[in-house]
Amino acid sequence: MQMYKIVEKINLAPQIYLMDVEAPRVAKSAKPGQFVIVKMNEKGERIPLTICDYNEEKGTVTIVFQVLGQSTIDMAGYEVGDYFTDFAGPLGEPSEFIYEDIEELKQQRLVFIAGGVGAAPVYPQVKWLQQQGVQVDVIIGARSKDFVILEEEMKALGAQVYVTTDDGSSGRKGLVTDVLKSLVDGGANYDHVIAIGPMVMMKFVSKLTAGYDIKTTISLNPIMVDGTGMCGACRVSVGNEIKFACVDGPEFDGHLVDFDEAIRRQTMYKTEEGRQMLAAEKGSHTGGCCGGKH
Amino acid sequence: MANIARIPVREQNPKKRVTNFEEVCLGYSLEEAVAEAARCLNCKNAKCVGQCPVAIDIPAFINQVKQGEIAEAAKIIAESSALPAVCGRVCPQETQCEGKCILGIKGEPVAIGKLERFVADWARENQVDTVTTQPKNGKKVAVIGSGPAGLSCAGDLARKGYEVTIFEALHEAGGVLVYGIPEFRLPKETVVKSEIENLKKLGVTIETNVVVGKTVTIDELLNEEGFDAVFIGSGAGLPKFMGIPGENANGVFSANEFLTRNNLMKAFREDYSTPIKVGQKVAVVGGGNVAMDAARTAARLGAETHIVYRRSEAELPARVEEVHHAHEEGIIFDTLTNPTEVIVDDKGWVTGLKCVKMELGEPDASGRRKPVEVPGSEFVIAVDTVIMSLGTSPNPLISSTTEGLEINKWQCIVADEETGLTSRERVYAGGDAVTGAATVILAMGAGKRAAKAIDEMMSA
């Protein structure tokens, strides 16, 4: 049985971990915008996670996750040298820009908006573009200084990075939408906004950019089981169509996504999750959630 | 002999079994099997064989059972079928082998399926070695998907000396046998796992977590990984929905999701982490075997369960045995009923299923009488969970990433019926990926035919 070894573990921020995992097949095929499904052990859940980076030579894939439910609590307990039993991917469609003409991309003005742990899926996109010579801006938003992740890494790629925190402990005080608004109002002529982070953030970014008429891409992280289009748990209304986030997405046009429905669908197993966490506290269960969390 | 009644097969009591996930049918004992086998007329021109998609020599194996030579019977079945313990349980025998049994004209046909199951289980329990393999020939074949089509194709090729690797997208091998068909119809540990172990003993390698089309492409397998041929048995995995209002509400699931959580992810077991939502009252929309599986699973998880089907009970596409078992287990059949809307509360959760009554009109293209709405007959079934079981279609992950692979308007891969050869050289396909959702045994038949064709192509 093939196993997937953890070769690096970094505590990026409170309750946010980065891991490099040996998965040569995934490392070889991964592209910006895609995700993986990780299963810790025989009885664990299939957890969809963002791909933060990949290294074909080393055969490793970098994942970043936030501790949110029992499964991610258990996952945070894994150390370098431990193994995941399953690591499937890369899943989903890559970001659309990788199919675009590089010279045309260079003419465009792109801004990424990374909310909290959403900086992880933004990173490989910024890396890919900067390495192709496409200059991008990045707005990182977080609760406070401690929760700002990957800021230095994005700067090292040559991106123009703006930081904003809820309490003003790093960068400016306020929301990512405030930063975007002041940049646009200040004359930044953005052609494309790519926003990845909490659902509410993506909803309000999309609302703002609709007013400015700027093309907006968001990345969804719904509940899913298989990640290959089989279960339909990740279905989402986009315009007048029903899409499966796992195979049609995870990235969609932010102006067409029904965010309220998507937010509601994320709560599907909340009661079960709570019950399992209570059981786990009593030491009788290793439960968790089947909610996909970037 | 012919007028002896069919030996009944023992089953778990319905009241008891609806509280557990153990197998419903308990199977024949040796004495019962021998007695049932004695009913077979051993026809010279046996009609049953021609109805079997893998052409098992049915009279020959039954004749061995009659004489108590079960190991010999197992060897005869093994010549034609790689998964007898599975097929003995899930094949629609009533429309295949048993449907043409001479005894069936005046009475009940020989219980061929139950005898096959008995032989396969006996052979497993008594470790009968039915495996015969030819020496390795150094040629490599990739099989995509570890469901019935892939397993039978891989088994046949491995026996002929090929080096076979199966690529499975999920974390466990078995395809629909593992994620779709519930434990109470097809035990996973004893039956499915042991069939897969047998394949591994033949030298078949199974690589899980490989989503072909994403993790690796067909072209990479052929051009970079040195496979001489590829067989696609990726099934029909995409669930269909009705397109009615409220279908995205919390509490509406595809049968695929509901069954996968319970079967593959074992939500019914306390020691697994998988959550499942069943609620108090469930409506399963659809009338096929998958709908019966979903309904009977929901009942076992404690819900009052309704089957909502737009035609009458006579038109149910599910096997008669499954419908019978569902009735016994207290499933309520709301037939001639068609959903028009999922009723949702202010938080987006299901509170009911709005339906309209139907009546049967003229026969349609499928030969079944077409259901027509009865005007003004709208009513609401109060439920908190709706499970959509309307069939599935093939997944485009492979066809969309394999240049030159022809598909039809239903997204099915176009393949030659006899050989499974697709529009691409060295690429074969079979099972639900080609036909759309069908049965385990038809997929197995397609896998076998493709294995034969691949062998002939490579030996040419």
Side-chain angles (χ1 to χ4, degrees):
Chain A
M1 186 175 170
Q2 69 261 46
M3 295 275 269
Y4 306 85
K5 189 178 177 183
I6 299 165
V7 293
E8 174 79 277
K9 178 187 178 186
I10 301 169
N11 190 184
L12 289 180
Q15 305 296 331
I16 299 176
Y17 294 88
L18 174 150
M19 284 178 179
D20 286 344
V21 181
E22 276 179 1
R25 279 195 183 279
V26 185
K28 182 169 181 276
S29 306
K31 299 206 170 50
Q34 294 185 294
F35 65 97
V36 289
I37 282 189
V38 180
K39 193 162 148 290
M40 276 181 290
N41 50 47
E42 189 203 341
K43 292 171 183 173
E45 289 195 75
R46 295 172 62 89
I47 308 165
L49 290 171
T50 284
I51 295 175
C52 178
D53 206 354
Y54 40 88
N55 186 323
E56 186 180 346
E57 237 163 71
K58 288 191 198 160
T60 58
V61 176
T62 306
I63 53 172
V64 170
F65 63 93
Q66 185 165 22
V67 174
L68 284 168
Q70 192 59 45
S71 287
T72 40
I73 291 174
D74 294 344
M75 206 158 136
Y78 275 44
E79 301 298 338
V80 169
D82 288 342
Y83 292 84
F84 293 125
T85 53
D86 301 282
F87 197 93
L91 300 167
E93 284 295 319
S95 304
E96 60 176 335
F97 58 72
I98 73 159
Y99 302 111
E100 283 171 32
D101 183 81
I102 294 299
E103 292 312 311
E104 276 173 34
L105 273 176
K106 284 181 184 168
Q107 305 305 314
Q108 288 186 27
R109 194 134 185 227
L110 306 177
V111 60
F112 286 86
I113 301 180
V117 74
V122 162
Y123 177 77
Q125 304 198 17
V126 171
K127 183 178 174 182
W128 190 93
L129 287 163
Q130 291 286 147
Q131 284 179 346
Q132 305 285 327
V134 182
Q135 178 64 43
V136 304
D137 292 354
V138 182
I139 302 168
I140 300 179
R143 224 183 306 167
S144 67
K145 187 170 185 285
D146 288 348
F147 291 89
V148 176
I149 60 167
L150 302 169
E151 178 188 354
E152 294 311 316
E153 287 82 353
M154 304 254 206
K155 281 181 178 161
L157 294 172
Q160 173 69 49
V161 178
Y162 303 88
V163 172
T164 179
T165 50
D166 295 354
D167 62 0
S169 54
S170 179
R172 66 179 270 182
K173 183 174 161 47
L175 302 171
V176 289
T177 40
D178 301 333
V179 181
L180 180 65
K181 199 167 183 309
S182 60
L183 284 169
V184 174
D185 293 345
N189 228 339
Y190 292 121
D191 297 293
H192 192 177
V193 174
I194 299 108
I196 310 181
M199 207 75 99
V200 180
M201 180 204 91
M202 296 191 288
K203 175 182 166 177
F204 283 99
V205 167
S206 299
K207 265 196 171 164
L208 179 68
T209 57
Y212 288 126
D213 198 21
I214 306 172
K215 176 180 172 183
T216 300
T217 301
I218 58 93
S219 180
L220 295 177
N221 54 347
I223 292 171
M224 58 178 75
V225 182
D226 60 290
T228 65
M230 212 179 83
C231 79
C234 66
R235 60 194 191 276
V236 52
S237 299
V238 181
N240 292 322
E241 284 179 277
I242 296 193
K243 299 280 188 188
F244 288 0
C246 68
V247 286
D248 301 320
E251 297 189 343
F252 293 105
D253 182 339
H255 296 153
L256 297 179
V257 169
D258 183 341
F259 283 104
D260 294 336
E261 178 189 278
I263 289 167
R264 207 188 62 219
R265 286 185 63 79
Q266 274 198 321
T267 66
M268 193 95 76
Y269 291 98
K270 279 282 185 270
T271 349
E272 273 67 20
E273 232 171 87
R275 222 174 271 148
Q276 290 194 342
M277 298 236 338
L278 285 175
E281 279 164 25
K282 289 180 203 146
S284 65
H285 205 294
T286 56
C289 66
C290 222
K293 298 291 177 284
H294 280 312
Chain B
M1 290 288 253
N3 52 11
I4 296 173
R6 184 174 178 150
I7 307 291
V9 70
R10 287 166 296 124
E11 290 177 347
Q12 261 203 85
N13 177 288
K15 287 217 166 57
K16 186 182 162 214
R17 72 182 189 235
V18 75
T19 64
N20 66 47
F21 278 88
E22 284 151 40
E23 201 174 6
V24 169
C25 177
L26 302 172
Y28 282 146
S29 65
L30 177 61
E31 293 71 30
E32 288 166 336
V34 171
E36 178 62 21
R39 294 179 65 230
C40 176
L41 300 175
N42 208 353
C43 305
K44 283 273 174 299
N45 178 21
K47 296 270 189 265
C48 50
V49 181
Q51 293 297 305
C52 174
V54 298
I56 294 173
D57 191 344
I58 294 166
F61 101 74
I62 293 184
N63 193 34
Q64 294 293 344
V65 176
K66 210 182 284 184
Q67 296 165 38
E69 298 289 344
I70 313 303
E72 291 309 308
K75 284 174 193 162
I76 292 168
I77 298 176
E79 284 167 18
S80 313
S81 173
L83 307 167
V86 173
C87 294
R89 288 171 166 84
V90 302
C91 260
Q93 290 101 6
E94 64 278 9
T95 58
Q96 296 180 359
C97 51
E98 296 178 18
K100 287 281 165 152
C101 178
I102 300 297
L103 292 189
I105 298 170
K106 283 189 174 166
E108 282 185 289
V110 175
I112 300 170
K114 298 292 185 278
L115 288 173
E116 181 188 26
R117 171 196 156 133
F118 168 77
V119 170
D121 287 355
W122 190 95
R124 181 181 65 246
E125 284 154 18
N126 292 280
Q127 290 162 5
V128 176
D129 189 8
T130 56
V131 168
T132 49
T133 41
Q134 289 165 25
K136 289 266 170 267
N137 64 18
K139 289 170 183 159
K140 283 174 73 182
V141 180
V143 169
I144 319 302
S146 61
L151 291 178
S152 65
C153 185
D156 279 13
L157 287 169
R159 272 186 215 103
K160 289 188 169 116
Y162 290 86
E163 194 184 312
V164 182
T165 303
I166 299 181
F167 295 98
E168 166 56 45
L170 292 169
H171 56 266
E172 205 175 312
V176 75
L177 307 177
V178 168
Y179 75 76
I181 304 176
E183 186 74 22
F184 55 82
R185 271 212 303 139
L186 185 62
K188 308 302 161 218
E189 274 304 313
T190 47
V191 178
V192 182
K193 262 204 184 142
S194 74
E195 301 271 21
I196 287 162
E197 286 308 314
N198 283 342
L199 272 195
K200 288 188 185 162
K201 281 185 208 147
L202 288 173
V204 173
T205 305
I206 301 181
E207 214 184 305
T208 51
N209 299 317
V210 178
V211 185
V212 173
K214 289 290 174 189
T215 314
V216 66
T217 63
I218 300 273
D219 287 297
E220 285 167 341
L221 291 174
L222 288 169
N223 302 331
E224 292 172 27
E225 300 201 15
F227 287 99
D228 299 293
V230 175
F231 173 76
I232 305 168
S234 51
L238 290 188
K240 289 178 187 159
F241 288 92
M242 291 189 81
I244 57 174
E247 211 170 10
N248 279 2
N250 287 12
V252 182
F253 308 98
S254 72
N256 260 11
E257 177 183 359
F258 185 71
L259 289 171
T260 300
R261 284 182 183 277
N262 204 62
N263 301 340
L264 173 73
M265 306 299 295
K266 308 229 184 304
F268 71 94
R269 277 175 56 169
E270 279 287 314
D271 55 339
Y272 278 73
S273 310
T274 317
I276 196 158
K277 263 230 134 64
V278 69
Q280 304 291 316
K281 216 170 149 182
V282 177
V284 177
V285 182
N289 287 320
V290 177
M292 298 305 138
D293 285 345
R296 296 170 67 196
T297 297
R300 279 164 174 74
L301 293 171
E304 177 190 312
T305 308
H306 295 242
I307 286 274
V308 176
Y309 179 58
R310 64 198 179 119
R311 301 177 201 251
S312 79
E313 189 156 333
E315 284 82 17
L316 283 170
R319 291 184 63 197
V320 173
E321 179 175 312
E322 306 308 329
V323 176
H324 171 69
H325 281 154
H327 272 296
E328 282 187 336
E329 289 164 13
I331 308 298
I332 299 155
F333 282 73
D334 296 326
T335 52
L336 290 168
T337 303
N338 200 29
T340 55
E341 184 184 347
V342 178
I343 315 272
V344 177
D345 71 12
D346 57 358
K347 294 206 169 65
W349 286 86
V350 173
T351 60
L353 187 64
K354 193 173 188 182
C355 298
V356 61
K357 284 308 243 180
M358 310 293 278
E359 57 190 11
L360 293 179
E362 295 299 306
D364 65 8
S366 71
R368 294 181 298 180
R369 291 175 65 194
K370 196 182 168 178
V372 188
E373 280 187 18
V374 177
S377 64
E378 286 85 2
F379 69 107
V380 173
I381 311 175
V383 290
D384 43 20
T385 301
V386 176
I387 298 171
M388 292 295 178
S389 180
L390 309 154
T392 52
S393 56
N395 199 317
L397 284 183
I398 291 176
S399 52
S400 66
T401 54
T402 310
E403 213 166 303
L405 187 70
E406 199 186 323
I407 53 169
N408 65 22
K409 64 176 171 177
W410 298 283
Q411 303 277 321
C412 297
I413 298 171
V414 175
D416 183 84
E417 206 167 314
E418 206 32 59
T419 63
L421 184 64
T422 66
S423 56
R424 282 280 310 262
E425 248 178 66
R426 297 192 286 152
V427 179
Y428 296 74
D432 285 3
V434 170
T435 58
T439 61
V440 168
I441 188 72
L442 285 172
M444 279 183 53
K448 288 186 79 70
R449 287 196 298 278
K452 185 165 170 273
I454 289 169
D455 181 47
E456 281 164 6
M457 183 262 302
M458 301 260 234
S459 316

